[in-house]
Amino acid sequence: MGVLRQPVSLQVQLARKWIKAASRIVGFTGAGISTESGVSDFRSPNGVWARNRTVYFQEFINNEEDRIEAWRQKVESWPEMRDAKPNSGHMALVELYLADKLSAMITQNIERLHQRSGIPSEIVFELHGTTTEAMCLTCGDRIDMKEAVARVEGGEKAPLCRKCGGLLKPATVSFGQPMPERVVLAAQQAAESCDLFLAVGSSLVVQPAASLPVIAKNAGAKLIIVNREETPVDSAADLVLHGEIGDILPVMAGMTSAG
Ligand code: APR
């Protein structure tokens, strides 16, 4: 079926129908679902990459000044991540979970708002890790980001592991850093076995995450994309809804409202 270009309200009705008929929905989110919780996304005009340079994984490992810059960025963004609360978009996905329809929650997001909204961490697959912890690149020990931020603010500009002296890094996946294999595999398996793939709030430009909607589609699932702007995957979708997630998703997933 070609991409349906209809008024959003008709599209929302169609999406509701598909959601009601589905039993194994995979949710897939990007930073766009968290902007209404006060968390910046990456590629909107005032996004993270408009204000910060990217520190690549190899740079983090090789250069102390790059580690200091990476930690500076983390400390700067920490308050909005720490204080963010789930918004109506997150809660719409919880409705799917409570209706026993959500088989997996794949996210590129790092602030754990899906877990905080009530989706069990067992079915949340964090492709790009989490900013809520820091981990040692040598021994793997993890500490809460709260502690790591306090240490940086206390003068340890690029903190080291207190267990083994290794480099401490925010537990997010940086560009050039291998993604957690187990998580990527589980996400691929979920995409291959779902009947509806709901991609929400992602520009769908970063691989391999952006290939998951296509994997689901090729495996026979219906693909719905909800995003403010066009994405390179829109042409593969069965339904594309351009608009604010907070307006669209609750109506789409609202199992309670009639019709
Ligand atoms: N409603 C709908 N769409 C929104 C909203 C909103 N309230 N807020 C933002 N968006 C859209 C933006 O228009 C944009 O297309 O969400 C999308 C977010 O895209 P990105 O900022 O590129 O974020 P994301 O897709 O998650 O980036 C993927 O890139 O830098 C890496 O690791 C980082 O996980 C991230 C990855």
Side-chain angles (χ1 to χ4, degrees), residues 100-148:
D100 204 17
K101 285 176 173 282
L102 191 73
S103 57
M105 187 65 247
I106 302 171
T107 188
Q108 301 171 97
N109 298 342
I110 56 177
E111 82 297 278
R112 290 204 162 155
L113 281 175
H114 289 308
Q115 294 92 326
R116 279 189 245 172
S117 70
I119 296 182
S121 51
E122 294 74 35
I123 67 163
V124 180
F125 299 112
E126 295 173 315
L127 296 175
H128 297 161
T130 181
T131 197
T132 62
E133 297 173 329
M135 69 172 275
C136 172
L137 295 178
T138 304
C139 72
D141 185 47
R142 284 178 175 245
I143 63 170
D144 192 291
M145 184 53 83
K146 224 176 353 217
E147 181 191 335

Side-chain angles (χ1 to χ4, degrees), residues 30-31 35-36 42-43 49 108 128 202-203 227-228 243-245:
T35 54
E36 292 172 59
F42 293 91
R43 294 172 181 83
W49 300 139
Q108 301 171 97
H128 297 161
S202 179
S203 58
N227 200 51
R228 183 183 288 155
E244 294 306 294
I245 292 162

Side-chain angles (χ1 to χ4, degrees), residues 23-244:
S23 57
R24 287 185 327 286
I25 299 174
V26 164
F28 173 96
T29 52
I33 196 171
S34 301
T35 54
E36 292 172 59
S37 296
V39 177
S40 309
D41 68 8
F42 293 91
R43 294 172 181 83
S44 283
N46 188 33
V48 169
W49 300 139
R51 293 177 275 120
N52 294 291
R53 74 173 169 90
T54 305
V55 176
Y56 289 81
F57 186 50
Q58 217 45 51
E59 293 172 331
F60 185 94
I61 292 178
N62 296 339
N63 318 317
E64 185 175 39
E65 65 271 20
D66 286 324
R67 287 197 288 279
I68 291 170
E69 170 57 13
W71 275 107
R72 183 198 66 74
Q73 291 178 20
K74 271 301 166 223
V75 170
E76 186 184 73
S77 66
W78 175 240
E80 71 180 35
M81 298 280 188
R82 178 198 58 209
D83 302 339
K85 300 274 181 298
N87 62 55
S88 59
H90 297 100
M91 298 322 289
L93 294 169
V94 171
E95 279 204 59
L96 298 183
Y97 168 70
L98 295 174
D100 204 17
K101 285 176 173 282
L102 191 73
S103 57
M105 187 65 247
I106 302 171
T107 188
Q108 301 171 97
N109 298 342
I110 56 177
E111 82 297 278
R112 290 204 162 155
L113 281 175
H114 289 308
Q115 294 92 326
R116 279 189 245 172
S117 70
I119 296 182
S121 51
E122 294 74 35
I123 67 163
V124 180
F125 299 112
E126 295 173 315
L127 296 175
H128 297 161
T130 181
T131 197
T132 62
E133 297 173 329
M135 69 172 275
C136 172
L137 295 178
T138 304
C139 72
D141 185 47
R142 284 178 175 245
I143 63 170
D144 192 291
M145 184 53 83
K146 224 176 353 217
E147 181 191 335
V149 166
R151 287 173 54 185
V152 175
E153 289 176 332
E156 292 179 68
K157 292 189 180 309
L160 299 178
C161 174
R162 287 207 167 134
K163 286 215 166 126
C164 76
L167 299 180
L168 214 48
K169 179 180 177 294
T172 50
V173 177
S174 304
F175 283 108
Q177 184 173 4
M179 290 166 67
E181 241 173 76
R182 185 189 61 76
V183 174
V184 172
L185 200 62
Q188 270 165 353
Q189 285 165 348
E192 284 162 353
S193 53
C194 68
D195 52 13
L196 178 60
F197 194 95
L198 186 53
V200 177
S202 179
S203 58
L204 293 173
V205 294
V206 172
Q207 293 297 352
S211 58
L212 288 169
V214 180
I215 288 172
K217 174 77 187 158
N218 292 342
K222 280 204 178 356
L223 172 57
I224 299 177
I225 294 177
V226 180
N227 200 51
R228 183 183 288 155
E229 293 165 357
E230 303 225 337
T231 81
V233 184
D234 283 2
S235 54
D238 295 289
L239 197 54
V240 176
L241 297 101
H242 287 151
E244 294 306 294

